[in-house]
Amino acid sequence: MKMLCPYCKQEIDETNEICPFCTTNLVKSDYKKFLLPLGIGISMLWTVFNFLILIVLRHFLKFLTLRDKDGILVFSLVEFITFCIQPVIFAFIPYIMGIINKYKIKACIIGMITCVIFAIIFVSYFIYLEHLAGV
Ligand SMILES: [Zn+2]
């Protein structure tokens, strides 16, 4: 099947990934059309996922709060996640989408891994604090 290159209007084979005339990557342009709905989709899924996680977390409040020896609330993991971690991660989504848009997949993966590492460090630190407080 023949088609016209959307960039130089030369007739090319439909299976071509790169236009032989203007060398435009035709797969890339399909990618771009897909990015905005993908970004919105991820953001919406993330929001729904957050609500579900918070509902689940609230059932385990006892394990997710830090109290001192007198039983006074010192720290709440749920509140920390809600007000600090989630907005930061949420802010990362458009940033990650922007990186993907420029096809810097490596940088995107590094960004996501950094998020995960920060989350792991934070949870580990919380568990360490729990041990210190003797909970
Ligand atoms: Zn072309």
Side-chain angles (χ1 to χ4, degrees):
M1 286 291 284
K2 293 283 177 187
M3 61 174 259
L4 288 182
C5 168
Y7 299 95
C8 66
K9 312 295 178 198
Q10 295 282 338
E11 194 175 272
I12 56 167
D13 200 280
E14 217 177 49
T15 55
N16 278 354
E17 287 183 2
I18 294 167
C19 172
F21 298 98
C22 66
T23 68
T24 306
N25 190 334
L26 300 170
V27 178
K28 241 184 200 176
S29 63
D30 277 351
Y31 228 120
K32 266 184 184 170
K33 284 177 206 161
F34 185 58
L35 273 173
L36 185 64
L38 181 70
I40 294 167
I42 290 174
S43 301
M44 284 173 75
L45 275 177
W46 184 259
T47 309
V48 171
F49 177 74
N50 276 347
F51 275 115
L52 291 177
I53 284 291
L54 282 174
I55 289 165
V56 172
L57 281 180
R58 286 188 193 285
H59 284 285
F60 299 99
L61 263 184
K62 204 179 170 186
F63 302 103
L64 296 164
T65 54
L66 185 63
R67 290 169 194 278
D68 67 10
K69 280 165 190 168
D70 302 318
I72 296 161
L73 183 67
V74 178
F75 184 79
S76 166
L77 184 61
V78 175
E79 276 167 23
F80 191 89
I81 289 173
T82 309
F83 297 113
C84 298
I85 301 286
Q86 298 289 20
V88 170
I89 296 173
F90 194 79
F92 252 88
I93 293 173
Y95 171 74
I96 289 167
M97 295 314 294
I99 292 169
I100 295 172
N101 200 20
K102 288 170 188 165
Y103 309 107
K104 288 175 183 169
I105 302 301
K106 261 188 199 169
C108 165
I109 291 167
I110 290 167
M112 289 171 125
I113 289 171
T114 307
C115 279
V116 171
I117 289 171
F118 269 109
I120 290 169
I121 289 171
F122 169 73
V123 173
S124 306
Y125 182 63
F126 183 79
I127 291 166
Y128 168 74
L129 281 179
E130 268 191 335
H131 280 286
L132 273 190
V135 177

